[in-house]
Amino acid sequence: MARAANVALAGAYAEAFALFDAILFLKAPSFDAVLDWRCEQEAGLMGLPPAELPPLRRAELAVFIQHFERITRHMLTGGVRADVTVVLDKQRRPFSPCGRRWQAKPDG
């Protein structure tokens, strides 16, 4: 499977990535945050507040995202080639490169 992925990455995917002007990586604070965010999304799709997502559904989502865990953990520890990395906190707010929070500029 890894060989097939590497072949695709060297061929069709490389051609697609060459069309991008830049690659932006939105970096989650942890893999656990990825599960929390996915559960929030699922709850929203079900019309529920996040706290009311059924525990069984959270468990099913945990199993689902395990398919992406290895690559996600690799990316979160620096294994991603991006022109810009935006580090997010647990509330999905970005940090500036100097560690301060970005502030929205008022209109006007």
Side-chain angles (χ1 to χ4, degrees):
M1 175 130 173
R3 182 177 168 189
N6 289 335
V7 168
L9 287 170
Y13 281 97
E15 293 170 15
F17 286 128
L19 300 173
F20 297 165
D21 291 327
I23 296 175
L24 173 71
F25 176 51
L26 300 175
K27 185 177 180 183
S30 67
F31 188 74
D32 291 335
V34 173
L35 174 60
D36 291 340
W37 295 349
R38 182 63 187 92
C39 289
E40 287 176 13
Q41 179 185 20
E42 186 76 6
L45 292 170
M46 297 171 75
L48 299 171
E52 292 182 20
L53 183 70
L56 178 59
R57 186 62 188 138
R58 183 178 177 88
E60 292 169 344
L61 289 169
V63 170
F64 171 73
I65 69 167
Q66 283 178 352
H67 296 287
F68 309 99
E69 184 171 5
R70 186 175 61 158
I71 187 67
T72 302
R73 288 189 186 278
H74 178 70
M75 293 172 72
L76 294 176
T77 58
V80 64
R81 289 182 292 180
D83 299 299
V84 176
T85 297
V86 178
V87 179
L88 304 173
D89 68 10
K90 287 188 176 187
Q91 288 73 43
R92 298 178 190 89
R93 295 177 302 208
F95 283 98
S96 70
C98 61
R100 295 184 312 215
R101 294 213 181 281
W102 289 101
Q103 297 294 319
K105 293 185 179 181
D107 292 337

